[in-house]
């Protein structure tokens, strides 16, 4: 039985603003803002609703979950969370099926509505699928997976570019209760293998070849290479993206052929709210990527709600998130959020400059896109090509422009707003992470006329309570004043947050819950303005963001150190005009080996592409005799960062350095390189 607000009297430890009590289910005019909010006593405007969602978070989320999701069995407990222990559980007792929420219920009401528009790499060759067609595709695949032995609780690895079959693969897993592990199809065989092994997948789904920017990418061959070191893999489903045949081995299954033999009805598995929906690997500050675990109900609810309100998505709109499905942005805003809302979602397979820098805007005109969600790195790139590529196309359908993945600088923000959006579309700079499941800080939801400051993520989403911690002292209390900076934490749980790290729950608690006990630590720094608006200032750990791709400097160092001539290395992020951050590597060669620096550079680039992905190749490699170290032997990255940023006055206290002369050598080497 669903217990109406069983824990609804609970209030966050430190609350903002006034607190509310739910007295009954009488309506208020907030219903116009958010229909789910009708009945929240004492809530009469958006600001009240925001306070209510934080102070009476259980009542808020219970009402929203009951109205937004279709349940097989109602939940009995809204949440059972203790952030200090790393325990996060939402909607327990409830049973549902995510694919039913994303497909069947819309097929029931509007079967012919377009669910997915596949914007293929080949310009002007889009393919549309209705909800009915996507459900059929998902069911056939669900039946095939079941017939080939995939069971509830298994984890299927998906290595595919954005396409309807990739979406159907994700949803087919959800339908039969298997978890999915989508690996970005730009990752190398080694990176894919590491993720398959950690997830212990016995099934991999891929395509024969990918096509991007007019180039063919040998995805099946990459899978063949990867599974050499993955003893768990028993079968590989291969879909045909191009007409070129590939060598099929005994493990390979011709996916479309086999799907054609399956029934279009597939019994959905009843899943507990807290069963795993997917793993998604992301980088942290150590060399090993972590498989964050997202579960069924809370994740889906949060993706759907943020999609609806941050972007002001309405029925009939065409929503386009141009991120790859291999990242969390693609999961939440190309797939789960829009489909849970019965929306039309565009899957973008190409690049912003193929066949020319007008690609996005020509697509906006042709597909009549209403919300466009992209990355600052692409905006900065397009800005350099000039306004004419934008002006060529009609963008009058656009209503909201979104930005994600890295800070958006003011120049890019202004251009996006003024040139792309003709000054009439709000730009929503959305801050969030793989760990948060969905957008946590963004200008919306707020009054349509509410102020948006360029380059600021602005306001917390419903149910989110950001706090800034003193970065000097772990475990201290949060800073309450405005016009201040600190470590960005979130003070209370929300349904979309990751639950743990696959195979390593302790790392989850240590990374996110222990630095500031009782708070979720994001790893980012933020500034809160005089007005109380948030601006993200960047990572506080050794994670960098290259063209919106998150990567740990330790991951790159691990690869560099595997090169035979390299004795040691240190990798630093630096400010890059297009990529946001670039990679700067300091490399010390082994004294005993006689090699040319040019050969080592080539070897390093080959290794970085082979072990991780192309974007992990350093922009600069500075060969040094030695690195600045403390007497205890720790590399002083702070010094390296200052040298690379040309902030030589700010080198700080060098008294702990083993040999201060090293700094001069490093400065000289940096000068010589540039
Ligand atoms: C950064 C992507 C500034 C941040 C959704 C975060 C941002 C990391 C923004 C997560 C933004 C994301 N402004 N920085 N609007 N959005 N970031 O897991 O450092 O790939 O911690 O998730 O990207 O990257 P991830």
């Amino acid at each position: 039985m669903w217990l109406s607000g069983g824990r609804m009297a609970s209030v966050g430890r430190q609350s903002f603003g006034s607190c509310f009590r739910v007295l009954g289910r009488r309506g208020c005019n907030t219903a116009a803002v958010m229909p789910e909010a009708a009945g929240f006593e004492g809530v009469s405007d958006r600001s009240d609703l925001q306070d209510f969602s934080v102070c009476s978070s259980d009542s808020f989320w219970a009402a929203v979950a009951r109205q937004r999701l279709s349940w097989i069995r109602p939940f009995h407990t809204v949440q059972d969370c203790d952030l200090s222990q790393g325990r996060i559980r939402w909607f327990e007792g409830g049973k549902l099926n995510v694919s039913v929420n994303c497909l069947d219920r819309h097929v029931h009401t509007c079967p012919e509505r377009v669910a997915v528009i596949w914007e293929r790499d080949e310009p002007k060759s889009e393919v549309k699928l209705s909800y009915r067609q996507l459900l059929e595709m998902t069911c056939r695949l669900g039946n095939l997976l079941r017939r080939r032995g995939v069971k509830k609780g298994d984890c299927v690895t998906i290595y595919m570019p954005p396409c309807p079959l990739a979406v159907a693969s994700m949803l087919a897993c959800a339908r039969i209760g298997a978890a999915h592990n989508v690996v970005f199809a730009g990752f190398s065989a080694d990176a894919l293998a590491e993720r398959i092994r950690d997830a212990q997948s016995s099934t991999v789904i891929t395509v024969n070849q990918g096509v991007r920017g007019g180039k063919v990418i040998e995805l099946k061959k990459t899978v063949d290479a990867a599974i050499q070191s993955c003893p768990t893999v028993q079968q590989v489903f291969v879909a045909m993206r191009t007409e070129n045949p590939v060598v099929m081995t005994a493990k390979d299954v011709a996916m479309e052929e086999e799907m054609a033999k399956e029934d279009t009805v597939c019994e959905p598995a009843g899943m507990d709210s807290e069963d795993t929906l997917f793993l998604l690997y992301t980088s942290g500050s150590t060399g090993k990527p972590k498989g964050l675990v997202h579960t069924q109900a809370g994740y889906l609810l949060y993706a759907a709600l943020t999609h609806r309100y941050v972007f002001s998505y309405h029925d009939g709109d065409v929503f386009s998130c141009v991120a790859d499905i291999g990242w969390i942005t693609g999961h939440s805003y190309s797939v789960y959020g829009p489909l849970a809302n019965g929306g039309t979602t565009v899957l973008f397979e190409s690049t912003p400059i193929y066949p020319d820098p007008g690609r996005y805007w020509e697509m906006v005109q042709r597909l009549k896109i209403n919300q466009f969600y992209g990355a600052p790195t692409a905006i900065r790139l397009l800005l350099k090509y000039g306004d004419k590529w934008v002006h060529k196309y009609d963008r009058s359908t656009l209503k909201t422009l979104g930005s994600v993945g890295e800070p958006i600088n003011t120049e890019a923000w202004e251009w996006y707003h003024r040139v792309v959006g003709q000054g009439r579309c709000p730009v929503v700079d959305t801050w969030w992470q793989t760990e948060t499941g969905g957008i946590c800080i963004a200008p919306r939801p707020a009054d349509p006329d509410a102020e948006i400051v360029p380059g600021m993520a602005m306001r917390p989403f419903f149910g989110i309570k950001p706090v800034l911690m003193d970065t000097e002292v772990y475990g201290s209390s949060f800073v309450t004043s405005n016009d201040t900076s600190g470590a960005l934490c979130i003070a209370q749980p929300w349904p979309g947050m990751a639950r743990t790290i696959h195979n390593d729950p302790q790392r989850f608690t240590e990374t996110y819950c222990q630095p500031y006990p009782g708070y979720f630590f994001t790893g980012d720094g933020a500034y809160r303005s005089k007005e109380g608006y948030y601006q993200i200032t960047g990572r506080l750990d050794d994670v960098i963001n290259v063209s919106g791709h998150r990567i740990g400097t330790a991951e790159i160092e691990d690869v560099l150190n595997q090169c035979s001539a390299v004795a040691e290395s240190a990798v630093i992020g630096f400010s890059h005009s297009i990529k946001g951050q670039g990679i700067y590597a300091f490399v010390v060669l082994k004294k005993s080996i006689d090699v040319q620096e040019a050969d080592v550079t080539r070897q390093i680039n080959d290794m970085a592409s082979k072990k991780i992905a192309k974007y992990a190749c350093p922009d600069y490699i500075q060969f040094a005799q030695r690195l600045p170290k403390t007497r205890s032997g720790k590399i002083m990255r702070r010094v390296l960062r200052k040298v690379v940023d040309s902030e030589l006055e700010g080198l700080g206290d060098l008294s702990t350095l083993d040999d201060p002369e090293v700094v001069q050598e490093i400065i000289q080497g940096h000068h010589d390189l540039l």
Side-chain angles (χ1 to χ4, degrees):
M1 240 317 267
W2 180 71
L3 298 180
S4 156
R7 311 167 112 245
M8 72 175 81
S10 78
V11 166
R13 282 177 310 279
Q14 288 98 358
S15 50
F16 284 162
S18 54
C19 287
F20 299 82
R21 290 191 315 130
V22 176
L23 299 174
R25 297 225 147 257
R26 270 171 286 144
C28 73
N29 62 10
T30 343
V33 175
M34 185 182 182
E36 296 91 340
F40 295 155
E41 187 74 18
V43 176
S44 59
D45 61 19
R46 283 169 202 265
S47 142
D48 285 351
L49 184 56
Q50 180 64 37
D51 286 349
F52 182 89
S53 71
V54 169
C55 298
S56 302
S57 121
D58 285 16
S59 310
F60 176 84
W61 288 116
V64 177
R66 206 171 42 138
Q67 295 174 68
R68 281 251 147 206
L69 300 182
S70 296
W71 296 87
I72 297 170
R73 187 177 76 198
F75 51 91
H76 55 62
T77 305
V78 183
Q79 61 156 311
D80 174 17
C81 303
D82 179 351
L83 279 186
S84 61
Q85 303 291 316
R87 188 178 72 238
I88 304 150
R89 309 186 67 81
W90 284 86
F91 310 120
E92 278 187 304
K95 270 194 185 293
L96 78 172
N97 184 280
V98 165
S99 77
V100 169
N101 274 274
C102 290
L103 299 172
D104 305 52
R105 59 178 176 161
H106 311 309
V107 171
H108 215 65
T109 53
C110 45
E112 299 313 319
R113 180 184 291 173
V114 176
V116 167
I117 306 177
W118 180 25
E119 174 68 2
R120 287 155 33 98
D121 189 60
E122 298 85 345
K124 303 180 191 168
S125 69
E126 75 275 10
V127 172
K128 295 183 181 176
L129 265 83
S130 67
Y131 271 93
R132 184 182 50 74
Q133 290 169 313
L134 187 59
L135 175 61
E136 278 184 20
M137 190 186 257
T138 301
C139 285
R140 284 182 193 276
L141 191 45
N143 287 330
L144 178 60
L145 287 168
R146 261 192 191 137
R147 181 161 63 80
R148 307 266 327 184
V150 178
K151 292 184 298 298
K152 193 168 170 176
D154 290 352
C155 180
V156 173
T157 293
I158 299 173
Y159 186 70
M160 295 169 111
C163 60
L165 273 174
V167 175
S169 299
M170 294 163 80
L171 294 171
C173 288
R175 190 145 195 107
I176 65 168
H180 58 70
N181 164 34
V182 182
V183 178
F184 170 57
F187 273 122
S188 66
D190 286 10
L192 170 62
E194 186 177 7
R195 287 156 177 79
I196 294 176
R197 280 196 300 268
D198 193 73
Q200 292 170 304
S201 291
S202 55
T203 302
V204 177
I205 308 182
T206 191
V207 294
N208 63 333
Q209 296 177 315
V211 188
R212 194 156 183 268
K215 295 196 191 82
V216 167
I217 308 160
E218 299 291 348
L219 296 182
K220 162 73 163 65
K221 282 192 186 153
T222 307
V223 173
D224 287 344
I227 64 172
Q228 297 298 317
S229 59
C230 300
T232 51
V233 174
Q234 284 161 12
Q235 53 185 350
V236 178
F237 288 26
V238 186
M240 296 299 282
R241 167 62 181 87
T242 66
E243 281 166 13
N244 305 330
V246 280
V247 177
M248 298 289 272
T249 69
K251 284 186 180 172
D252 298 335
V253 180
M255 186 153 134
E256 289 104 326
E257 261 171 51
E258 292 300 313
M259 279 170 69
K261 299 177 192 160
E262 298 293 339
D263 203 291
T264 53
V265 176
C266 173
E267 180 64 22
M271 302 299 288
D272 290 333
S273 296
E274 283 300 334
D275 283 335
T276 299
L277 177 62
F278 64 85
L279 309 184
L280 188 57
Y281 285 82
T282 190
S283 297
S285 48
T286 72
K288 192 173 155 31
K290 41 196 176 187
L292 287 159
V293 175
H294 281 284
T295 57
Q296 314 266 328
Y299 169 80
L300 187 67
L301 178 68
Y302 197 72
L305 205 72
T306 46
H307 171 254
R308 164 69 185 83
Y309 290 106
V310 171
F311 300 100
S312 304
Y313 183 87
H314 287 91
D315 264 358
D317 285 348
V318 177
F319 183 85
S320 160
C321 163
V322 291
D324 194 282
I325 50 150
W327 309 117
I328 191 70
T329 310
H331 279 58
S332 300
Y333 301 109
S334 294
V335 181
Y336 287 113
L339 295 180
N341 288 335
T344 298
T345 181
V346 175
L347 298 173
F348 185 69
E349 191 186 33
S350 194
T351 82
I353 51 169
Y354 181 75
D356 60 47
R359 177 63 187 255
Y360 280 164
W361 324 122
E362 186 276 324
M363 171 178 86
V364 165
Q365 171 181 293
R366 180 168 29 89
L367 304 182
K368 300 191 173 27
I369 287 169
N370 302 110
Q371 290 88 11
F372 180 90
Y373 192 29
T377 185
I379 302 301
R380 285 192 294 266
L381 177 69
L382 295 178
L383 183 160
K384 294 220 182 317
Y385 284 97
D387 301 1
K388 69 168 190 211
W389 292 106
V390 187
H391 290 155
K392 248 177 114 172
Y393 303 103
D394 177 11
R395 285 115 44 230
S396 58
T397 51
L398 283 175
K399 295 193 280 194
T400 310
L401 298 171
S403 168
V404 60
E406 45 169 329
I408 178 161
N409 48 311
T410 316
E411 189 195 6
W413 194 101
E414 298 281 4
W415 187 80
Y416 201 22
H417 183 246
R418 183 176 48 80
V419 179
V420 177
Q422 296 162 304
R424 50 171 192 85
C425 305
V427 171
V428 292
D429 174 11
T430 62
W431 173 85
W432 59 297
Q433 315 175 295
T434 308
E435 292 83 343
T436 68
I439 294 163
C440 287
I441 306 183
R444 300 288 176 88
D447 291 331
D449 304 325
E451 181 188 22
I452 301 181
V453 182
M456 291 191 93
M458 305 294 292
R459 308 172 177 86
F461 189 70
F462 294 130
I464 299 294
K465 184 174 159 189
V467 285
L468 299 181
M469 299 290 187
D470 190 335
T471 44
E472 299 300 314
V473 210
Y474 270 4
S476 68
S477 60
F478 60 80
V479 212
T480 48
S481 55
N482 281 355
D483 193 14
T484 186
S485 297
L488 178 64
C489 289
I490 302 179
Q492 60 190 44
W494 67 101
M497 68 191 300
R499 303 304 195 245
T500 188
I501 293 174
H502 182 62
N503 287 337
D504 204 351
Q506 201 182 336
R507 185 174 175 197
F508 182 86
T509 321
E510 280 168 10
T511 311
Y512 304 108
C513 305
Q514 282 173 0
Y516 300 99
Y519 297 86
F520 175 83
F521 174 46
T522 65
D524 279 316
Y527 164 73
R528 186 166 55 227
S529 71
K530 283 194 201 74
E531 299 77 17
Y533 301 146
Y534 289 88
Q535 177 170 34
I536 310 304
T537 49
R539 298 291 306 190
L540 298 171
D541 53 12
D542 290 319
V543 171
I544 57 177
N545 200 317
V546 181
S547 305
H549 300 328
R550 172 174 161 177
I551 186 161
T553 53
E555 266 176 276
I556 308 172
E557 286 165 11
D558 269 3
V559 170
L560 301 191
N561 297 343
Q562 286 171 40
C563 294
S564 51
V566 174
E568 63 176 341
S569 63
V571 168
I572 304 289
F574 70 96
S575 173
H576 187 287
S577 65
I578 305 275
K579 298 201 245 180
Q581 280 189 297
I583 300 171
Y584 195 109
F586 291 89
V587 170
V588 179
L589 296 177
K590 285 182 187 152
K591 304 275 182 281
S592 53
I593 299 184
D594 185 23
V595 281
Q596 298 293 314
E597 288 178 357
D599 291 336
V600 181
T601 302
R602 211 170 307 117
Q603 199 192 355
I604 285 175
N605 284 327
D606 287 351
M607 289 278 274
S609 319
K610 182 172 171 296
K611 298 272 175 196
I612 309 176
K614 281 224 172 65
Y615 67 80
C617 294
D619 296 271
Y620 293 102
I621 300 176
Q622 178 175 337
F623 291 97
Q625 291 300 319
R626 49 202 179 142
L627 299 174
K629 290 192 180 163
T630 60
R631 282 184 208 107
S632 58
K634 253 186 111 187
I635 298 172
M636 285 185 80
R637 288 157 189 290
R638 172 176 59 82
V639 171
L640 295 175
R641 241 177 253 128
K642 293 281 177 194
V643 172
V644 170
D645 291 344
S646 303
E647 288 178 14
L648 298 185
E649 326 69 68
L651 281 175
D653 179 14
L654 299 178
S655 61
T656 53
L657 267 178
D658 185 30
D659 179 357
E661 273 185 27
V662 184
V663 178
Q664 283 316 314
E665 288 172 21
I666 292 285
I667 295 173
Q668 188 56 48
H670 176 63
H671 267 278
D672 296 347
L673 185 65
L674 303 183

